[in-house]
Amino acid sequence: MAKTWGKAFAQPAIEFAPTPLPVLAGQLPTDLRGSYYHNGPGRLERGNQRVGHWFDGDGAIVGIQFCGGPENQATATYRYVQTAGYQREQESDRFCHSNYGMTYPGPLWQRWGKDLKNAANTSVLALDDRLLALWEGGAPHALDLQSLETHGIDRLGLGDQDAYSAHPKREPHSGLIYNFAVSLGPKPALSLYCHDRRGRLQRRHRHPLEGCPLIHDFVLAGDYLVFCISPVRLNLWPVALQLHSYSESLQWKPELGTELLIFDRHSLTLVSRHTTDPWFQWHYSNGWQDDRGHVVVDLVRYEDFRTNQYLKQVATGQTSLETPARLWRLVLDPKTAQVLDSQPLHPAWSEFPQVSPECVGQAPTASLRGTVFVQHRPQYDPTGELFGAIGYLDPQGKITVTDLGEDRYPCEPIWAGDWLLTLVFDGANNQSELWVWQGDRPGADPVCRLQCPEVIPYGFHGTWAPASPA
């Protein structure tokens, strides 16, 4: 029996102009002032053809502006990122590009030399004067912070061929933004970037890689940048010749183990490397240096790469694979990158961990907020289901779980000052909502539920941009 979450993917998302959101329950906090943005694949079908993988969908961004104060209203806008590929396919009403899970839709002799479509569908980065729609295989697209109008490719001071990954880290004290990209080809390399708070390039460094790994995320931990390179390798030639898609050409090779790379955050140069047991991860929660000088890294750990096939199934609206993923903690010696300790933090299957912006790279303390994440509902069979609950790991290590109830599916939760926000798809009523929780009261009912005018398909990552002081 199909689960109700599949309704969110049944039709391409419908854009909407700025629309005040009605309150379904509770009351909107008057001190919630700023903008919430969330990115994800909005279109998974065109011309009666489905995409090959969830990662192929065209990026669509919802922006919700909270004015607070006496007016105390939330206004939402939802728009597709107007990439060149999206516009071309919109005009012809057919797929015209290869993508993560798709080859060029034509005979073999026509595939060579075709560009990969920049889907701009993975995350967002809010700068002072623009919003960046991120996709790790290429450059970001710049959007207007209010209207979400697409202004075009933003190179961020990088070269025409340089990509910019979808998981930048902003150091809270300096405002410096760190990110990376993987260059494929005969000489694969990991490029590290540092930009200032306005997106101006400060420095970069290129580190050679062995083989062509899949690197989706990294972590900032005090004075260090940490990469866990799982044993997934790309068989490059089938992709280059357009014989197979990128996804189909990724191979799980556990005999390689997971390589740990630790870089100095200030110089971007390598400090240490070490190879340990194999695992896979998409996302990290946070990292920091403890009082002994060790590096602590929290991540969501998978035992293998079946997650890629599972995410391919998500795009169909039905899943059958089980891919256990658990919040995990590593303790590393930064001088050698050796693993000093490795243990799970929570038994439930979890994903999309987030910490508040002021906590990035910082050790947890009583005065800082903890980690939020989505997980499966407690005591319910997760087979065929998406995540239906939100977990909270406080700085003391205690976990509280909020079950949203049957047929309700939360996206990645985002800290907004003292509040916690997440988009929720209500499968029973086929509608999307924005839920607001009080940040220091996890496990309680939301203080407010807002109704969106159209269904917003389950997406990937978001951010919060606080309003400028009056």
Side-chain angles (χ1 to χ4, degrees), residues 324-341:
R326 293 180 173 87
L327 196 61
W328 203 278
R329 176 163 294 172
L330 302 174
V331 180
L332 310 175
D333 180 347
K335 297 179 181 178
T336 64
Q338 289 186 317
V339 179
L340 304 177
D341 192 21

Side-chain angles (χ1 to χ4, degrees), residues 251-280:
Q251 302 172 336
W252 174 247
K253 295 187 173 184
E255 67 276 8
L256 298 178
T258 292
E259 185 180 25
L260 305 175
L261 299 180
I262 300 181
F263 294 89
D264 181 278
R265 175 172 68 83
H266 308 283
S267 66
L268 304 184
T269 56
L270 184 70
V271 175
S272 59
R273 62 193 301 171
H274 178 70
T275 299
T276 186
D277 298 336
W279 74 77
F280 181 76

Side-chain angles (χ1 to χ4, degrees), residues 77 80 123 132 155 185 237 273 288 328-329 400 402 411 420:
T77 304
Y80 284 98
S123 190
L132 299 183
R155 298 291 178 189
W237 288 111
R273 62 193 301 171
W288 63 90
W328 203 278
R329 176 163 294 172
T400 306
T402 304
C411 291
L420 193 63

